[in-house]
Amino acid sequence: MANIRFAGTRQSCQAHNKLTTRARVLRLDPSPRHVLFLPLPSGLPRRPHRPRHRSSPALANLQPAPPTTKPPAPPMHSPERADGPPGLRALPALSYNTHRALVLGLTFLAYALYHASRKPPSIVKRELARSWPPFADPALLGATDVAFLTSYSLGMFVAGHLGDRLDLRRFLAFGMAASGAAVALFGAGYFLGLHSLAFYVAAQVIAGLLQSTGWPSVVAIVGNWFCGRRRGLIMGVWNAHTSVGNITGSLVAAAMLGYGWGWSFVVPGGLIALGGALVLLFLAPYPQYVGFGPAPIEPVAEESTDGEDSSSSSVASGVGKDRRDAVGILKALAIPGVVIFALCLFFAKLVAYTFLYWLPFYLSQTAIGGEHMSAASAGYISVLFDVGGIIGGILAGFISDQLNARATTAAVFMYLAIPSLFLFHAYGSISKATNIGLMMISGLFVNGPYALITTAVSADLGTHKSLKGDSRALATVTAIIDGTGSLGAALGPFLTGFISRRGWDSVFVMLALCAFVAAVLLSSHVKIEIPQIIEKWRNRSTNMRIENEDHGVQPLLEEES
């Protein structure tokens, strides 16, 4: 007997009396001429249904067999799994789009809190240099920055590897709670009256390792829920969490500075810990966790040749559900473009993080309009650099989607960042309004490519066609790219602590050179993308001309809606 497969539900064709009833599709073979539509009972008038092939007596005895293949890709809601987030299990059933909005909101909040907890060191730098030994030397302030960022970048590779193997919800929630405790540990030195440099360096090393859990996790989660041509724009808007977090962290740390610099660390640490609780309760890292998409895919056990045994053991243990075989670091490095974009981000993030850690200090040391501002005022004004960064991230994502050219967009932004940096340094001291305007323009061009590479580019490469759809590499690829960039982020603030002794002119020359190198590294990809961009616009112009010539011609038969 022929094997009849259940293929899911569809809308009935318009030729069937324009009835939009659901139908079950019985397929005798992959050929489209063996399809029979059987409408579900719905109280509507029925018509006899004739197959689109010659009738056969065998059809009368055929019964639908159990499904032998997985349902089609479009998401169909099914009962939620028992291992879903506990907070969601207590809520009424949500639609697919509502879940996607919730995922965007929670991951946005999570990483905004990560960045907010990183801002206190830049806000309290002047206060530490003035009244808290041993930080009178700016180079020692740079040492704590490089301790954090070095451990962060090294931890990123481990965190990405773990993120592709562990439950991302629990992994992210743990990282947020532990990061909050580590940030508060640095502030505890104020209340305990500690003046040991080793204590503060150790606190920053611990904080860096724990904070590395954030970025690979949130990018992998968003990548699991969102894909397609608009990924650049969506992730560009979503990546505003970096700047929102920087702004929030600056405002909170500056507000707490009047009560003692220790509170500038304790309060952000408490906020990120609370955010971790929300993630644990409500974040669904995969659509399958809440009943959408195809059936869960069990992990592939490399040491086992019996798929049934390995599958049953993984289900019994409850570990690794909804997982595919994860990609190793060496295989991820072999994906075309990963190494180039990682090196580019090394220099782009060096520039961005130098502003992140040193901009408030630079503003407080520079006479703007003939006046020096306080540390708190410098912290407040410095957030406008991140406002420009929000615009830059969204703009870079939108342009790269329209051109389908990530590398070209990032390179152009980095080239434009060079004159904007020199203009900010040369003319930013004229007045506060001029300083703010040039600062925002610099933030736009500096943070635009940084945001694009760490989000859309990482997600694109993590789902590259060379993986053939059989492996999960989002967290690993994200960790490689952002981990390499974080090495540059560690080097930039560290070098600034020494170079600033010679004057800020030398610092801005260093930043301009790094922006130039970041753009040049993308040249090989830009050469490939530019002919594609030209061809795309030629085709668009040709299509528009043809449409204008045929304007007014209507088809004889037009399908009714």
Side-chain angles (χ1 to χ4, degrees):
M1 182 180 293
N3 183 25
I4 302 178
R5 297 177 295 168
F6 177 71
T9 58
R10 298 181 178 178
Q11 297 292 334
S12 62
C13 60
Q14 293 183 351
H16 182 54
N17 281 345
K18 298 294 182 181
L19 298 178
T20 56
T21 60
R22 291 187 173 181
R24 289 190 179 95
V25 183
L26 298 178
R27 291 183 179 173
L28 299 177
D29 58 34
S31 173
R33 56 190 178 83
H34 294 294
V35 180
L36 178 65
F37 288 89
L38 299 177
L40 293 176
S42 58
L44 297 174
R46 301 190 178 189
R47 293 180 57 188
H49 298 273
R50 296 183 176 87
R52 298 182 182 179
H53 57 281
R54 291 184 300 176
S55 60
S56 172
L59 288 176
N61 299 322
L62 292 180
Q63 298 295 329
T68 59
T69 59
K70 294 173 184 176
M76 301 297 296
H77 190 270
S78 60
E80 293 189 358
R81 295 174 54 190
D83 58 350
L88 290 181
R89 295 202 302 267
L91 297 176
L94 304 176
S95 67
Y96 182 71
N97 286 334
T98 302
H99 275 293
R100 297 215 304 174
L102 183 61
V103 167
L104 273 184
L106 284 175
T107 52
F108 185 98
L109 174 65
Y111 211 68
L113 291 173
Y114 268 104
H115 261 263
S117 65
R118 298 176 193 173
K119 282 298 292 185
S122 65
I123 300 300
V124 304
K125 264 187 172 68
R126 183 177 179 182
E127 190 68 24
L128 292 175
R130 177 186 298 172
S131 61
W132 201 265
F135 293 113
D137 187 353
L140 296 180
L141 292 171
T144 60
D145 295 339
V146 75
F148 171 86
L149 292 169
T150 301
S151 62
Y152 174 82
S153 60
L154 297 177
M156 185 75 70
F157 296 97
V158 179
H161 197 63
L162 293 175
D164 279 328
R165 287 160 173 78
L166 301 177
D167 185 295
L168 285 170
R169 174 176 62 91
R170 294 186 175 93
F171 186 59
L172 180 60
F174 165 77
M176 294 179 70
S179 294
V183 172
L185 178 63
F186 192 101
Y190 169 79
F191 302 102
L192 298 176
L194 299 177
H195 297 275
S196 171
L197 179 63
F199 170 81
Y200 296 105
V201 170
Q204 288 291 74
V205 169
I206 296 172
L209 290 172
L210 293 171
Q211 291 241 338
S212 65
T213 59
W215 189 241
S217 301
V218 296
V219 172
I221 292 169
V222 173
N224 291 333
W225 282 89
F226 294 89
C227 61
R229 286 181 57 86
R230 292 191 299 170
R231 174 182 273 170
L233 177 59
I234 292 173
M235 300 194 84
V237 175
W238 172 75
N239 192 66
H241 55 52
T242 299
S243 298
V244 170
N246 290 339
I247 293 170
T248 303
S250 297
L251 296 177
V252 171
M256 294 293 104
L257 195 57
Y259 300 96
W261 65 262
W263 290 106
S264 297
F265 289 85
V266 172
V267 173
L271 291 176
I272 189 175
L274 291 175
L278 291 177
V279 166
L280 185 64
L281 290 174
F282 297 104
L283 181 62
Y286 312 100
Q288 294 90 340
Y289 265 46
V290 286
F292 293 99
I297 300 174
E298 302 298 337
V300 177
E302 295 180 359
E303 67 276 9
S304 174
T305 58
D306 190 346
E308 183 178 355
D309 293 342
S310 62
S311 176
S312 60
S313 63
S314 63
V315 172
S317 61
V319 178
K321 292 185 179 181
D322 299 314
R323 310 298 290 150
R324 301 174 184 169
D325 53 318
V327 169
I329 293 179
L330 292 180
K331 185 176 180 180
L333 286 170
I335 298 174
V338 169
V339 174
I340 293 297
F341 279 103
L343 293 176
C344 173
L345 189 62
F346 176 92
F347 293 96
K349 204 167 182 179
L350 186 153
V351 178
Y353 266 64
T354 299
F355 275 92
L356 175 68
Y357 279 89
W358 284 96
L359 181 58
F361 186 78
Y362 168 75
L363 293 175
S364 65
Q365 296 293 313
T366 304
I368 300 175
E371 298 180 356
H372 287 82
M373 62 181 67
S374 64
S377 298
Y380 289 133
I381 292 181
S382 66
V383 303
L384 296 173
F385 180 85
D386 293 294
V387 173
I390 294 175
I391 301 172
I394 296 173
L395 189 61
F398 175 76
I399 293 174
S400 68
D401 279 346
Q402 296 300 309
L403 300 178
N404 194 25
R406 311 284 196 210
T408 303
T409 304
V412 170
F413 269 66
M414 292 309 302
Y415 282 126
L416 293 175
I418 298 173
S420 70
L421 291 174
F422 284 122
L423 289 173
F424 171 64
H425 178 55
Y427 299 102
S429 59
I430 294 177
S431 66
K432 185 174 292 187
T434 305
N435 184 278
I436 290 173
L438 294 175
M439 185 194 309
M440 293 180 66
I441 293 174
S442 298
L444 186 151
F445 291 122
V446 168
N447 282 357
Y450 160 47
L452 180 65
I453 294 173
T454 54
T455 55
V457 171
S458 297
D460 290 346
L461 295 176
T463 54
H464 194 268
K465 61 183 180 180
S466 64
L467 297 172
K468 299 179 181 179
D470 295 330
S471 301
R472 302 197 70 89
L474 273 172
T476 302
V477 169
T478 301
I480 291 173
I481 293 177
D482 199 52
T484 305
S486 297
L487 291 174
L491 182 62
F494 177 71
L495 292 177
T496 301
F498 291 97
I499 297 176
S500 61
R501 296 174 178 175
R502 303 173 56 183
W504 289 103
D505 291 345
S506 301
V507 173
F508 277 87
V509 169
M510 176 197 73
L511 297 177
L513 288 175
C514 291
F516 178 76
V517 174
V520 170
L521 283 170
L522 297 176
S523 297
S524 59
H525 287 267
V526 172
K527 290 179 181 178
I528 297 174
E529 291 179 351
I530 287 180
Q532 297 174 353
I533 296 172
I534 296 174
E535 183 66 22
K536 177 181 177 181
W537 285 100
R538 284 179 177 173
N539 293 337
R540 178 175 296 183
S541 300
T542 302
N543 293 335
M544 291 179 63
R545 186 172 62 253
I546 294 175
E547 290 177 1
N548 292 333
E549 292 175 355
D550 295 339
H551 183 70
V553 178
Q554 300 295 331
L556 294 177
L557 295 177
E558 187 174 14
E559 185 179 54
E560 296 180 11
S561 57

